[in-house]
Amino acid sequence: MVRWRRYRPDDGFYELFTRSAQNLVTGAHLLAELALPGVDVQSVSERLVELEHDSDQIAHEIYNKINSTRRPPLDRADIYRLGSTLDDVMDHLEAAGTLVYLYGLTKLPALPREIHELVDALTQQAELTAAAMPRLRTMRELREYWIECNRLENEGDRAYRMLLVRLFSGEYDALTVLKMKEVADELEAACDAFEHVANIVETIAVKRA
Amino acid sequence: MVRWRRYRPDDGFYELFTRSAQNLVTGAHLLAELALPGVDVQSVSERLVELEHDSDQIAHEIYNKINSTRRPPLDRADIYRLGSTLDDVMDHLEAAGTLVYLYGLTKLPALPREIHELVDALTQQAELTAAAMPRLRTMRELREYWIECNRLENEGDRAYRMLLVRLFSGEYDALTVLKMKEVADELEAACDAFEHVANIVETIAVKRA
Amino acid sequence: MVRWRRYRPDDGFYELFTRSAQNLVTGAHLLAELALPGVDVQSVSERLVELEHDSDQIAHEIYNKINSTRRPPLDRADIYRLGSTLDDVMDHLEAAGTLVYLYGLTKLPALPREIHELVDALTQQAELTAAAMPRLRTMRELREYWIECNRLENEGDRAYRMLLVRLFSGEYDALTVLKMKEVADELEAACDAFEHVANIVETIAVKRA
């Protein structure tokens, strides 16, 4: 006798998480462009704002789907948290890029090395997250993702700390210090929010175990 | 045949949420007073502290009612989050007003225009929230509230960003910049906390849909 | 007839919470050492980093136990939140101590009095928390703990506020102000995180009531 597995549609939640995470990869790459000589910083900021709007729309599509789906594949509260935290990361990436533009920081000879280290950590976190989202469907091979994402957060944290030591060393005037610290705070918050995404995935996987 | 709807007392939760939100309206109006010429800033700060104590008491009344109510009208965890987040908003409003007083900022010729824009956004968020709380009883007409509350948060965010650009422009000395930034951070956190309240209401409504 | 109560092992969760909280007591004492004349600040910072690693490991032991335990004694989500928030406190204690070291702040004649007041509040919160964790087993005598822990958070908050007033008064140069503010922010975040722990305990107790 053939027994049929009850078909349970996922209603596109995994695709939406993946699209949201892919926007984060694009966002991190745009931030990396800011280090290039002669970059058009206003255009980078505008592209980040567009990406951020797109991520907002994906988040709202997710919230609406929670409403309209009778049996979502994950707890409604977890879907909500995952969707909104992916959106949080984008908010911080956009804020960092826009502040570099608004504060005119690319007029400096060079941004401190630690800012590039933070952007590197973010880029790796974004790529890991985008690769992990489709695996939520099967809940397989997620453990390495969240461990590595947490490790990168620690690395970002260390870069942030050393950046502040440099900023407070007297190398820059007080207002430039304040401007760069605002940018660094957004980058560090993005790093944290990626870890938060990884923790939500861990919680979801723990429930399924 | 008449069928009776099972009567389910709400035990006063909606009244408590409404009172807490009305305190936020009063708090936002007190902050707006700080812009008036010749204002007694110490008295405004003291009235904010009193309001904040009252909001604390309302929050604890809500927590006790969660304990003593057999079948609360909403999930216990949601009641807890809504009560504590309304209280968070008040903490930030009080902090902003008290810092203006403690730092002697009203001695400046004028506060930057963007601070007034932030207070305007907060006042509108407070009024929308106070009007929305009684509607939790029927879950009707809440959607516009949370959309508008999120929109105002975006507006506040933009005002905050432009305020920092102005503060870092060299118009003020470094210590004045730091003082105004602390005030602005509290106003922006209040704006965020209002959005957080709206998100909790959205989550509650989503569960009921 | 004898009726047996079903034996329900707690699988060591309470021991792990207690160990994590005891680390916080040690951490707060290390921070208090920074005020002593001739202290070896590098060694204090290194011991804080070790403690922080140990707390990380305890947190991950807790998460693994959530996975491997069939019927944990508390909601899985609550165990997770309590474990991770205890770990958050340690992150802030470690950060505060390490920043004092990295910024060379012990070279100042003395740290402002309000920083010591913050460390005092933290020490008391740590001791109360470590004493409360084993009482989760019976859920008895927890109410006083969370009330007192919240009261200490208010005290810490007031000390933090007065510290900023002093820092912005012109007594220190702008870069020293920024350094001490970073340290103060971490201490205040630790104070907040202790309150967060107390709120989680309150939520757990409310569910059991």
Side-chain angles (χ1 to χ4, degrees), chain B residues 67 94-95 98 103 179 182, chain C residues 161 164-165 168 170 181 199 206:
Chain B
N67 270 316
E94 183 271 325
T98 298
Y103 297 159
K179 290 172 188 177
E182 287 301 305
Chain C
R161 219 173 245 194
L164 294 202
V165 172
F168 299 159
K181 185 165 179 307
N199 290 346
V206 160

Side-chain angles (χ1 to χ4, degrees), chain A residues 43-84:
Chain A
S43 144
V44 168
S45 161
E46 284 167 3
R47 280 182 287 159
L48 279 165
V49 170
E50 276 168 35
L51 262 186
E52 198 262 320
H53 287 167
D54 190 57
S55 289
D56 259 357
Q57 287 195 321
I58 295 172
H60 280 93
E61 217 173 310
I62 291 169
Y63 305 157
N64 287 333
K65 245 187 221 320
I66 296 175
N67 269 316
S68 62
T69 305
R70 211 147 57 99
R71 292 186 58 210
L74 303 169
D75 281 0
R76 288 170 203 274
D78 287 333
I79 295 175
Y80 187 89
R81 286 169 67 215
L82 186 52
S84 65

Side-chain angles (χ1 to χ4, degrees), chain C residues 144-163:
Chain C
E144 276 154 57
Y145 147 67
W146 74 63
I147 288 175
E148 182 63 6
C149 206
N150 286 347
R151 193 192 62 77
L152 287 162
E153 194 276 333
N154 283 336
E155 235 176 57
D157 216 48
R158 205 182 37 76
Y160 175 78
R161 219 173 245 194
M162 296 322 292
L163 175 61

Side-chain angles (χ1 to χ4, degrees), chain A residues 20-21 24 52 55-56 59 63 80-96 122 185-197 200, chain B residues 153 157 161 192 195-196 199:
Chain A
S20 187
L24 301 177
E52 198 262 320
S55 289
D56 259 357
Y63 305 157
Y80 187 89
R81 286 169 67 215
L82 186 52
S84 65
T85 311
L86 286 166
D87 192 30
D88 285 349
V89 184
M90 181 52 86
D91 288 349
H92 294 297
L93 297 182
E94 182 271 325
L122 285 170
D185 284 351
E186 294 292 349
L187 295 175
E188 203 260 345
C191 238
D192 267 4
F194 269 125
E195 189 186 26
H196 194 177
V197 169
I200 293 168
Chain B
E153 195 276 333
D157 216 48
R161 219 172 246 196
D192 267 3
E195 187 186 27
H196 194 176
N199 290 346

